[in-house]
Amino acid sequence: MTRIGIAGLLHESNTYLPVPTIYEHFAATSMTTGAALIERWRGARHEIGGFLEGAGANAVPLFATYAVPSGALTADCFERLAAELMRELEAALPLDGLVIALHGATVADSFPDADGEILRRLRMRLGAGFPIVATFDLHANISRRMAAESTALIGYRTNPHLDQWDRGVEAASLAVRIIRGEAKPAQALEMPPMLVPIACQHTPVAPARRLYDDLEEVLRWPGILTASVAMGFNYADVEEMGASFLAVADHDSGLARRAARWMARRAWDRRHEFAAALPSPEQAVRDAAVSPLTPVVLMDVGDNVGGGSPGDSRVLFDEVLRQRVRNALVVLYAPTAVASCVAAGVRSEVTIEGIGGRVKTISDGFYTETEVRHGGWSTYDQGITAVVETPDEHTVVFTSRRMAPMSLQQILSLGIRPERKRILIAKGVVAPRAAYEPVAGSIVLVDTPGVTSGNPASFDYRHRRHPLYPLEPNAEYP
Ligand SMILES: [Zn+2]
């Protein structure tokens, strides 16, 4: 019987965060092996759920873990995760193939290209020619090592990420075909000197849409097995940061190279389109105060939890208070505030860092999402959560765990009616759209400060490649 190892090691690492990511963050979020891995991931609209579907009875669960986006992994964290993966692999051998879910923007203090290092270790143990198919997030910074050490890489094609399950099925199916001798991948990576600002990474609309139209065209070329576009993660200061284009052809490295270059060249020729001017908090709140299209979702770009930000910024809510606009909702990561509310009890009047109101609800913070949402998760835990309502009809949700706003159940589960609010402050950029579009009157990306600022020029990069458009406007792509 064919045996396909199933693995996952996912983390989006924001190197501008001073707080490192440690092993316990993974252990406390999601870490499974063997039967527990299948239990955790079977049916999940995630690439690992897709792996299990695509591999079917051939699936051999190894090790899968992820943590909420945060700072770079400590060397100790990376080595422990890698060791557990390799130990489970060793115990499961012999295998015929391996599919692994990586993020592609994982950074360890010891290995800036952590994904490449994982693939290198797998390749070293499994040998040249062993089928290793890896999936990656659309926000990956793909390195030459990742491409060299894998048999094939397959990235998500949508942002918000709603095709994770499909890419997982595709990866496992490709692994099966390689094992059967029906396909022999030749992979090519092309890295034009450009980055795509995060505000321009919304795939259903131009300019991002065009990159994926080109990708769809390449997928129809005879001989192409798969292809991907990674828009990159601008908050990881690593050499490979930026956009990249990848094609995998059957037996034909020349074809793969032509396809990757064709996509890259066409993106490069449209590089000027990837620019976004976002309103200031002051302007955005002023517009939202009078907008007929309510609720107005104000995306707090600089405090994007899904990009590693803390989720505790008051910039937008304070601006709402300053302009005396009523009826806003904000979710803040604030464990101390939760503790104060719990101590005070429901119906108590509290004043927390200048926010005065009544404790409406205290919740266990668990919620479930049944729709396909960015991230592919169905169960969430935002920790003990307190809801405070103010005399100005503001609803302030304090959580004791950091949680990206990928599911509207985050607030619906607390009894909040988002459609009745004038302003919904969401700590993200593109990813929360899948959750918020059904209730939003309008969505506005706001130029807020933070470690996920939408302006790449505001970061002090030390390790990225040079030149890189638009940071070097005169960059050339020979
Ligand atoms: Zn992503």
Side-chain angles (χ1 to χ4, degrees), residues 25 42 49 62 76 102 112 122 132 148 171 180 248 310 382 409 443:
H25 290 141
R42 174 161 283 161
L62 303 178
D76 170 73
L102 298 170
L122 289 170
I132 301 175
R180 289 186 187 148
V248 182
Q382 58 185 345
Q409 295 299 331
I443 295 179

Side-chain angles (χ1 to χ4, degrees), residues 162-445:
L162 302 178
D163 65 334
Q164 294 174 243
W165 191 84
D166 305 271
R167 298 288 77 75
V169 172
E170 183 186 349
S173 308
L174 179 58
V176 169
R177 291 179 59 197
I178 300 167
I179 293 165
R180 289 186 187 148
E182 295 167 7
K184 191 172 190 312
Q187 177 159 258
L189 171 69
E190 189 68 13
M191 303 164 81
M194 64 183 283
L195 65 76
V196 176
I198 191 156
C200 302
Q201 295 185 352
H202 186 208
T203 52
V205 297
R209 178 65 260 158
R210 300 207 176 96
L211 302 182
Y212 292 85
D213 288 345
D214 289 347
L215 169 62
E216 293 296 333
E217 186 162 336
V218 159
L219 290 170
R220 288 192 292 268
W221 290 11
I224 293 293
L225 292 171
T226 189
S228 304
V229 176
M231 282 201 272
F233 185 64
N234 301 337
Y235 313 126
D237 184 12
V238 293
E239 191 188 348
E240 59 270 17
M241 189 274 287
S244 55
F245 299 80
L246 209 117
V248 182
D250 198 9
H251 283 278
D252 189 342
S253 55
L255 174 63
R257 205 161 41 244
R258 279 197 302 284
R261 281 189 182 160
W262 182 79
M263 292 188 291
R265 173 59 61 184
R266 284 171 60 89
W268 174 257
D269 289 344
R270 292 192 295 261
R271 65 192 177 281
H272 309 285
E273 297 174 18
F274 293 92
L278 307 184
S280 67
E282 189 193 356
Q283 183 67 48
V285 170
R286 192 164 342 124
D287 293 346
V290 295
S291 172
L293 303 171
T294 61
V296 180
V297 178
L298 297 182
M299 293 289 186
D300 190 343
V301 173
D303 192 26
N304 166 14
V305 181
S309 275
D312 61 359
S313 167
R314 287 267 302 264
V315 167
L316 279 174
F317 188 61
D318 284 347
E319 185 61 29
V320 166
L321 297 177
R322 198 183 68 78
Q323 295 190 29
R324 297 177 193 281
V325 182
R326 298 173 72 90
N327 196 17
L329 172 129
V330 65
V331 179
L332 296 169
Y333 166 60
T336 329
V338 173
S340 303
C341 292
V342 170
V346 289
R347 295 194 176 188
S348 299
E349 298 292 333
V350 291
T351 301
I352 292 162
E353 289 178 33
I355 303 174
R358 178 174 295 149
V359 180
K360 171 80 176 170
T361 313
I362 291 170
S363 156
D364 65 6
F366 293 114
Y367 54 99
T368 305
E369 176 58 78
T370 54
E371 301 289 320
V372 179
R373 292 291 181 247
H374 181 104
W377 306 301
S378 50
T379 56
Y380 297 78
D381 174 9
Q382 58 185 345
I384 296 177
T385 297
V387 181
V388 171
E389 290 191 335
T390 80
D392 290 332
E393 302 170 70
H394 298 310
T395 304
V396 184
V397 177
F398 296 114
T399 71
S400 44
R401 292 177 71 134
R402 290 172 59 233
M403 184 56 73
M406 302 315 182
S407 164
L408 211 57
Q409 295 299 331
Q410 182 179 27
I411 48 183
L412 293 173
S413 65
L414 302 168
I416 296 165
R417 302 287 296 271
E419 71 279 11
R420 294 184 185 171
K421 309 303 287 186
R422 168 155 287 278
I423 293 175
L424 304 172
I425 298 172
K427 295 187 170 289
V429 183
V430 176
R433 277 182 176 270
Y436 281 76
E437 270 170 354
V439 295
S442 49
I443 295 179
V444 179
L445 275 54

Side-chain angles (χ1 to χ4, degrees), residues 12 69 103 136-140 156 158-161 164 201 232-233 306 374-375 406 431:
E12 191 176 71
H103 185 286
F136 62 85
D137 191 284
L138 173 141
H139 296 107
Y156 311 161
T158 61
N159 187 31
H161 308 327
Q164 294 174 243
Q201 295 185 352
F233 185 64
H374 181 104
M406 302 315 182

